Amino acid sequence: MKIPFSPPYIDEAVIAEVTDTLRSGWITTGPKTRALEEEIRTLCGAGEVLCVNSWTSGAILMLRWLGVKAGDEVIVPAYTYSATALAVLHAGAKPIMVDSGEDFNISAEAVQKAITPRTKAIIPVDIAGFPCNYEAINQIVVSPQARSLFKAESDVQRKLGRVMVLNDAAHSLGAWYDKGKRTGCETDVAIFSLHAVKNVTTAEGGAICLNLPQPFDNAQLYKELRMMSLNCQTKDAFTKTKAGGWRYDIVGMGMKVNMADINAAVGLAQIRQYNRLLQERKRVFAAYDKAFSACDWAVCPPSVKDGKESSRHIYALRIKNFTEEQRDRMIEKISEREVAVNVHFIPMPMLSFFKGLGYRIEDYPQAYRNYCSEISLPVYPQLSDEQVDFVIRTVKEAYEAVK
């Protein structure tokens, strides 16, 4: 039985929405993109939402808006995909990597210890779709100690008056954080990924959720950032096509990172049925939980804990007391049965580029422990119960073969 890892969910509703866009005669940024922004804003309760062409470009845009520069620091987890730190580097600052907790997510204690007068932002990551401890992180940045260290060096930083919290919510669209709040409204900025393998996809894309406190005006900020995402051009292409609307100006050094309507159409069709799709993910997750919680060698990932609930993006199974080599052999055994699995993630200090910058995995022991025994299992709505049972049997048999 051949089971892929994470195929996109494409049904007739998605095809119809994309076809409607093609027939409309307008395929770049326009009404579909704006409709998707509103759907995401309604789902997660954010102040405003701006769709862009990737999570990475969205993070670079927000860090540049914040005014980070050479010599500034942004705290990130060592255990995440490389885009989290690469966005910081592209914005001109230095990523300060800290260790994780046993739930895969960034350690709030490590964050607190890492804050210096050069810290301008913190980027926690909701690994596998399970929210971080934002209550602790938000308390850290408003604490007298953190405020006394903070040195504002841009107009935005002076207006905020503290370190900004930018949630890397790439995995967590639809997750719940504390007292019924959806991920996307719990930090100053949260950015979802809409990449091809995510719960809701636009093939490539990202969505920036704006929740800045007063005196910021998120509606006005949306307009400013939308213009920044279009090279700081005062009129978008849709507006320019209207009769007499050709004249425009360039008022700053922006970026070209807008989302196109042809991409937005895919996500628009998916998010309108996301509650049902999320239930299907829960079905798969629950089956895995039931099967592996009965195994004394398995560590099941968090899904519902302390008022938080995962988006069930990834089922990050860990094997107790397994070395990295044993885990790799287990993956080979699983792959022989044509079940595609993955690993989330190789910690950044283990990657050649970051090693070259001086990061050492020995400084992040929990990140390594999380990684070395982790196997990501397939989770998506199209998986049948029969396929899920086959994945479970295959994983159990692979463990027995390797142990």
Side-chain angles (χ1 to χ4, degrees):
M1 188 179 294
K2 191 171 185 177
I3 299 177
F5 182 69
S6 186
Y9 183 82
I10 305 296
D11 65 353
E12 290 304 317
V14 171
I15 294 168
E17 199 72 49
V18 171
T19 301
D20 181 67
T21 304
L22 294 172
R23 287 176 173 159
S24 74
W26 190 262
I27 58 173
T28 189
T29 308
K32 299 276 189 186
T33 303
R34 187 59 185 145
L36 178 59
E37 290 169 347
E38 281 300 303
E39 290 283 353
I40 295 173
R41 187 183 67 82
T42 299
L43 176 71
C44 68
E48 292 289 341
V49 174
L50 174 71
C51 284
V52 288
N53 64 359
S54 73
W55 181 94
T56 306
S57 62
I60 297 168
L61 181 70
M62 293 312 303
L63 290 170
R64 288 185 177 176
W65 168 81
L66 182 63
V68 302
K69 63 182 188 329
D72 289 340
E73 297 175 350
V74 177
I75 298 171
V76 303
Y79 191 85
T80 182
Y81 182 60
S82 61
T84 311
L86 291 174
V88 175
L89 290 167
H90 280 299
K94 179 181 179 179
I96 302 299
M97 296 185 194
V98 300
D99 209 356
S100 307
E102 291 184 3
D103 66 351
F104 295 101
N105 288 337
I106 196 168
S107 163
E109 293 78 11
V111 167
Q112 189 165 23
K113 292 176 183 177
I115 292 177
T116 74
R118 294 181 294 277
T119 306
K120 295 298 187 284
I122 302 166
I123 308 182
V125 183
D126 298 333
I127 301 294
F130 188 72
C132 295
N133 186 354
Y134 290 107
E135 182 177 0
I137 293 168
N138 288 334
Q139 286 177 353
I140 288 169
V141 297
V142 299
S143 68
Q145 180 185 0
R147 284 187 183 274
S148 68
L149 288 172
F150 183 66
K151 291 187 176 180
E153 297 178 287
S154 73
D155 289 343
V156 170
Q157 292 168 22
R158 282 184 280 273
K159 197 172 179 180
L160 185 59
R162 58 167 172 79
V163 172
M164 186 176 81
V165 182
L166 190 163
N167 175 15
D168 180 342
H171 293 177
S172 59
L173 180 62
W176 292 96
Y177 172 75
D178 191 34
K179 299 176 183 177
K181 289 183 180 178
R182 289 276 197 188
T183 299
C185 68
E186 78 282 28
T187 56
D188 300 317
V189 178
I191 307 179
F192 296 121
S193 172
L194 303 173
H195 177 262
V197 300
K198 298 302 188 292
N199 290 20
V200 172
T201 181
T202 55
E204 296 284 354
I208 304 170
C209 299
L210 303 172
N211 308 293
L212 275 298
Q214 291 194 358
F216 290 96
D217 180 336
N218 289 300
Q220 183 58 41
L221 179 56
Y222 167 84
K223 294 177 183 177
E224 177 186 340
L225 292 170
R226 190 167 191 267
M227 186 168 63
M228 284 180 67
S229 75
L230 289 158
N231 289 322
C232 279
Q233 183 175 288
T234 53
K235 286 183 182 177
D236 61 31
F238 190 72
T239 305
K240 282 174 62 185
T241 60
K242 296 179 180 178
W246 61 271
R247 190 179 296 276
Y248 66 91
D249 195 9
I250 300 293
V251 295
M253 192 177 77
M255 300 167 62
K256 186 65 169 66
V257 297
N258 57 301
M259 177 181 285
D261 271 19
I262 192 67
N263 295 89
V266 179
L268 192 57
Q270 289 190 357
I271 203 165
R272 285 172 175 165
Q273 52 184 323
Y274 188 40
N275 286 333
R276 178 182 65 81
L277 298 178
L278 198 51
Q279 289 304 313
E280 292 300 304
R281 286 182 170 272
K282 288 182 180 181
R283 170 183 59 83
V284 176
F285 231 81
Y288 288 153
D289 276 346
K290 182 179 179 181
F292 294 115
S293 61
C295 300
D296 59 8
W297 50 265
V299 181
C300 298
S303 55
V304 180
K305 185 180 179 182
D306 300 330
K308 297 184 286 187
E309 183 172 347
S310 174
S311 67
R312 277 84 168 182
H313 175 57
I314 289 167
Y315 195 89
L317 180 70
R318 280 171 288 184
I319 315 302
K320 288 181 184 177
N321 303 318
F322 255 35
T323 65
E324 186 178 350
E325 292 73 22
Q326 287 174 304
R327 186 274 316 274
D328 291 352
R329 292 209 308 274
M330 191 167 163
I331 289 175
E332 288 174 9
K333 293 291 184 183
I334 294 168
S335 299
E336 287 171 6
R337 300 288 297 278
E338 296 192 295
V339 173
V341 294
N342 212 320
V343 173
H344 290 85
F345 292 97
I346 302 173
M348 291 188 291
M350 295 179 69
L351 303 173
S352 297
F353 175 71
F354 295 104
K355 282 188 202 175
L357 296 179
Y359 298 98
R360 300 168 61 251
I361 190 58
E362 292 80 7
D363 297 328
Y364 313 99
Q366 186 61 52
Y368 181 75
R369 283 193 291 271
N370 289 340
Y371 153 76
C372 73
S373 65
E374 194 272 345
I375 303 175
S376 302
L377 306 185
V379 180
Y380 46 90
Q382 306 96 300
L383 277 173
S384 68
D385 291 342
E386 181 186 8
Q387 289 173 314
V388 172
D389 289 342
F390 184 75
V391 172
I392 292 167
R393 289 198 309 274
T394 300
V395 171
K396 288 181 176 180
E397 289 167 7
Y399 171 77
E400 292 296 332
V402 170
K403 75 167 186 177

